[in-house]
Amino acid sequence: MTVKQRLVSWFCRFRAALTPSEAAWRGAATALWLLTGLLTLAVLVADVLPDFSFGKLAGFLIALTTLLLAGLLIRLVLWLFSLLSGRYRASLFFLLPLFFLLLAPGAGRKGAWIVAAALLVITALLGGGVAVLRKEGFRPREQKVTLAALGIALTLLVTGLVVLARPGEPPNPAMADFRLEDRTLDLANPGEPGDYVVQTLTYGSGKDLRRPEYGDVVDLVSRSVDGSKLIDNWEGPGGWLRTRYWGFDATELPLQGRVWYPKGTGPFPLVLIVHGNHSMEDFSDPGYAYLGELLASRGTIFVSVDENFLNSSTADLADMFGPGLKEENDARGWLLLEHVAQWSDWNSDLEHPFSGKVDIDRVALIGHSRGGEAVAVAAAFNKLDRYPDDATLAFDYGFNIRGVIAIAPSDGQYEPRDRGTPLSDVNYFTIHGSLDGDVTSFMGTSQYSRVELTHDPAREERHFKSSLYVLGANHGQFNTSWGRNDMGRFWGWALDTRPIMDPEEQRRIAKVYFSAFLEVVLRDNVAYLPILRDARRARSWVPDRFYLQNYADSTDFAIASFDEDLDPVTTTLAGGRIEGEHLTKWREQWMPLKYKLLDTHVAVVAWDNEAEEETASFSFELPEGAVATSPETLLVFSLSAADEGTLPEDWEDEDSESEEEVAKDGDGAEGEPSDEDDEDDEDEDTPEPLDWSIVLTDAAGVSVTSKLSHDRLLYPQVQAPTRRASFLENHSTSEVVLHRYAFELSAFTRANPGFDPTAIREIRFVFDVNPKGAIVIDDVGFAEVPVDADGTLATAPDSALELR
């Protein structure tokens, strides 16, 4: 007997010795039933029979039955799998995790299961059918089942391709006829190049292995810094591969960047931009050249910072159960401050080419995606003496960062002490596209909500925050290196890129808004501030799109922010009161975004004439003398449509006719709804813009009214499907995006000279236009009237005001 035969014989004897007999298996099963029965009986005796009630017994039995049915279902699934051949079953179990992993990034968790199931059926039918035909030849009379299987597979395949390829219905019919009103400022377009000659260079370690512009041919050599205390998981096989690729580890991170700067003696303000997460081998920092050329020509030193070494890579999968760097956005933000420190040193070095050319007192940060979160982290760290997560790391920054711009930012990737990054008294602007296929939720609004602006009329220094939501913009086109595909080369198959706006138009919006923001915060050119409140003030410079824009500044005086307590009738203003009449819904809550909570409380109210015949209203009562207003004051509030039903949760329509009676009254045959009824139902299902009356009442009881549409109608929530089919969407396709409304009190006074704008006692929303609606309200208050460069008020004309 050979050695091989001996081994096989020994293995067979060993397996036989370890294999239980049928009697043993029966005994094990019986023991399992007995144990489960005893445990069930123990729960029955200990928890159900004492203080016995029928409800307790019913609940126990229902739970028991449900769990047994779940076990039966599992048994059924296993039985179905047992019907498969051993070869196919082994292949399925072996390949299914890999199969799912290859689909999940593009299709999402839910979509991956659907697509995986469909592909498994199709490939099984196709593979089996083709194998039979290859073995037996083509004999249609004898192969009906085989041909039917092939036909079903091809039908499923074609159907799936059609579903993915067909254009969907326009998701936002209410915005189809929207046109952005032209109230363009009488100023030069901030998105146009300035008069400075633009020069370029790079700075870096001089030892970069992948890019000569940071290696052998670098123009300026910069230092490296130790970021090991801020970076987790640069270790193991993935960390070793990362170090091998770049030639350095977390203890020696290079400060590297591409610079566009104006020719001249300066000093010039400094603006740094940092990219977000992307494949680290596909370098992201060159993608902001269009901004560098523009801003340098307008007298700014612009740096596109290289942080590609913090990005993800397929090499990270070498650590399969913990791939990539962990929560590294604190390191991204900290590195930005180290770059500013490097520029400060160069500016102070009399021998350096940039000596005295940098206005280090005027600094702004711009970030994209994770970089958009990182700039907020940098602004927070800038005011600290120690690293929040490890106080042994000292900070020594304190730069005058005058503004932060966040492009489609993430939020919560880094959370100091398990909370969102707080900011105070810093100018903040965030922009997001509705068709962002990567960061699908406008997470910048959460950071916007956490920017605290000190209201102190005695302070000369003022700060503001602004958000802009652009219908049709995506994630990647703000960076020319990223483009239209927000999901990567392979997984981009699930994205529907057809509705995405033209890339040059998207970047034109960025140029205008970023430049205007920087004009305000770096050059104190407040004439451009109205653009950051109202897109109509830039209509001639930006594409005619649907925009949602929120805004607040340190002149705002809060009446109701809905954050003060649990009582829905109290206001932020002490002594005030909120009242609602004939509403079908009224609550205050944290507002959920697509996959996290908006970091602010809001009020949600709804009305429906079907449930309440009287006109609904929502009002804010102000105590006498609590608010110092004048004709130059603005009434402001932020609104969004609420994507929910308008009837009460317990509503039952007792007066509605039966379907048969409705059909008899219509044009259709008995028992069949008419085509006209179908059209009416479709119209009812289509959300429409909302309007209502805004009534102000003074201390003498004099009231004056304006319509909400005096500023702008409230449009339904933007529907933003980013995938080719609804089952591929990971989250809801809409969310709350607040838009700021502003009404000048002087216009109310002109409509009724008897109205006293200095003694307002009530602000009332009267829902007298639409028969039903549901809305989200936040930040009701007053603000100082901003004045445009031409000396006119930055609000709508008063022609829409009517006297009541």
Side-chain angles (χ1 to χ4, degrees), residues 626-647:
V627 184
T629 56
S630 70
E632 290 71 39
T633 301
L634 285 176
L635 167 65
V636 295
F637 47 85
S638 296
L639 297 173
S640 170
D643 192 13
E644 63 178 75
T646 56
L647 291 171

Side-chain angles (χ1 to χ4, degrees), residues 95-107:
L95 296 176
L96 190 60
L98 176 61
F99 195 70
F100 183 81
L101 179 63
L102 293 173
L103 293 173

